[in-house]
Amino acid sequence: MGYPWKVVVRAIEEHGAYNEEAVFNTILTYKVIMSNTTLECYFRYSVFMNYTCCLTNCYRVKAGLNDVGLNIKCKRESIRRTPMTGFGVPHVVQKPNNVVITRDRERIPRNIPARGGGKGPPYFYFENVARAPKGVWETMSNFLYDIEPEFVDSIYFSAAAKKRGYIHNLPIDKRFPILPTPPSTIFGALPSTKTSWPKWDPRIKLNCIVTNNGRPKHTKKISEELDNCGTEPPPHIRKKVLQVCRKYNFIWVGNNKVAPLHPKQIEKIMGFPDGHTDMLSRSARYRCLGNTFQVNTVGYHLSVLKRLFPEGIKVLSLFSGIGGAEVALHKLQIPLKFVVSVECSKACRDVMLRWWKRSNQQGKLIHISDVKYLTHQKLRELIDMCGGFDLVIGGSPCNNFAGNNRRTRVGFKGEQSSLFLDYWRILESVNFITLCRTYY
């Protein structure tokens, strides 16, 4: 640690100036022991600080080392997650309690640190659950060039909440929403429920769309309890019923009858076209839709790319699921010239491929089944094929960051959430290759 110049020089002298793969691995691969655990992990250090090495024929590598670990004690104050309006929302929104009106947050200048690949292009966009364990967002921010996260609740863009954090180096001025704007209330999104909705249920927004949508025993129990109460349930029964309805996002479908949201209703709320996932089983549709982007929220952030890439965009989409980012870019009328979609689920890949054909995309789509296959050499081949990525986007799994189960909510020590390091590794590699290409 502390001798980046010597490390770079030694790596290039050992492997040769043009053996980029070996040089990159020698510079960036170190063994780090996570504090308070015996878990060992390999991860790559940042390579874009203020050091420049000139060896052989105009071969220049901008390199440096940053000795941050997976458990970082940040010098700055803990990152705030409220209010969840990010760097502004597109319109005035009324909160669910019908009392507080939240106006657009004042647009303030955002300084992106010069360190590393913080300033695009290529641009990057990373998403994960906002309510992660303490220190997680501080750590992810430190890995991603110390850029301030943007916390946004999709309740400002749709009829359902979805509290997420985003770290990105996109501009924040001149954003605009996807048009037409979607319904912002339950009755707007699901008008058929209005006639069955009891007056004592005050909900006008749904909670976060998740993979768990309740079971028949829950709906049956609610119906039985309400039927036993007669025409007007007492306050304690109302409270109990509302707790279950909020937990599972049950909607009213008849007198004293509730039901979980149908997948086609979730597709509408999440901003996808009708029938986007109808080729899958019902349980698979719930799973895919509960883990995807809310299209309108992400689209608002990505809208700045329309003026930057009017002729089309080349995207590396990591953990792409059923294509939330691609659908958002398409709705923004940004041509998809070249997309590398990395997704481990074959069902999601099939959904993405069908949408690509149905929406008559003219660009090239490449599917890769696992981020582990995106080695430095493979990324260099893809970049040579397309001429360089304009956007690296994705949200690593949040399984070990979210939920109330402390046994699985273990942060970066979890098998799923540690995939954040693969997002970072790939982003660093893309930046490294893009930088080196300018000097060849």
Side-chain angles (χ1 to χ4, degrees), residues 142-157:
N142 198 298
F143 271 62
L144 296 176
Y145 319 113
D146 289 321
I147 293 177
E148 176 189 0
E150 179 172 14
F151 295 102
V152 184
D153 190 341
S154 293
I155 204 168
Y156 297 103
F157 295 87

Side-chain angles (χ1 to χ4, degrees), residues 236-387:
H236 71 281
I237 295 295
R238 295 183 192 177
K239 182 178 179 181
K240 186 177 179 180
V241 169
L242 287 175
Q243 285 177 342
V244 178
C245 288
R246 288 190 175 104
K247 181 177 180 180
Y248 296 112
N249 274 326
F250 287 154
I251 56 174
W252 298 92
V253 294
N255 184 30
N256 293 342
K257 292 182 179 180
V258 295
L261 291 166
H262 190 275
K264 67 180 181 181
Q265 295 172 322
I266 299 178
E267 286 174 348
K268 182 177 182 180
I269 292 169
M270 298 300 287
F272 288 92
D274 292 340
H276 187 70
T277 61
D278 61 7
M279 63 189 297
L280 306 179
S281 67
R282 191 181 181 99
S283 59
R285 296 177 75 180
Y286 281 132
R287 185 166 58 253
C288 292
L289 290 165
N291 289 322
T292 190
F293 287 146
Q294 203 289 321
V295 170
N296 299 85
T297 308
V298 172
Y300 181 63
H301 296 158
L302 300 182
S303 62
V304 297
L305 296 172
K306 187 167 184 178
R307 58 185 167 87
L308 297 175
F309 303 101
E311 302 301 320
I313 193 169
K314 294 168 286 187
V315 181
L316 174 56
S317 179
L318 306 176
F319 316 103
S320 46
I322 55 175
E326 291 82 355
V327 172
L329 290 168
H330 177 67
K331 283 192 168 186
L332 290 166
Q333 299 181 359
I334 302 174
L336 298 170
K337 294 170 62 177
F338 189 92
V339 174
V340 176
S341 176
V342 187
E343 173 55 47
C344 63
S345 168
K346 184 180 183 304
C348 290
R349 295 198 302 270
D350 290 343
V351 169
M352 175 67 176
L353 180 59
R354 188 181 68 162
W355 172 82
W356 188 269
K357 294 177 179 178
R358 279 186 171 182
S359 57
N360 195 29
Q361 299 297 326
Q362 301 301 307
K364 184 176 182 62
L365 172 65
I366 296 178
H367 272 303
I368 295 178
S369 61
D370 199 321
V371 290
K372 303 298 182 184
Y373 298 147
L374 275 185
T375 63
H376 187 72
Q377 178 62 31
K378 181 63 175 179
L379 285 166
R380 184 166 58 180
E381 293 173 2
L382 292 169
I383 288 175
D384 288 342
M385 186 186 303
C386 70

Side-chain angles (χ1 to χ4, degrees), residues 380-400:
R380 184 166 58 180
E381 293 173 2
L382 292 169
I383 288 175
D384 288 342
M385 186 186 303
C386 70
F389 292 111
D390 303 314
L391 174 68
V392 180
I393 190 168
S396 58
C398 63
N399 305 51
N400 307 124

Side-chain angles (χ1 to χ4, degrees), residues 159-173:
K162 196 176 183 74
K163 296 179 173 65
R164 290 295 184 268
Y166 307 87
I167 301 178
H168 61 86
N169 61 350
L170 295 169
I172 61 173
D173 59 312

Side-chain angles (χ1 to χ4, degrees), residues 18 85 99 108 123 137 141 180 189 197 215 219 380 430:
Y18 296 98
T85 54
V99 176
I108 58 176
Y123 293 100
W137 277 104
S141 174
W197 209 270
R215 298 179 180 179
T219 59
R380 184 166 58 180
V430 169

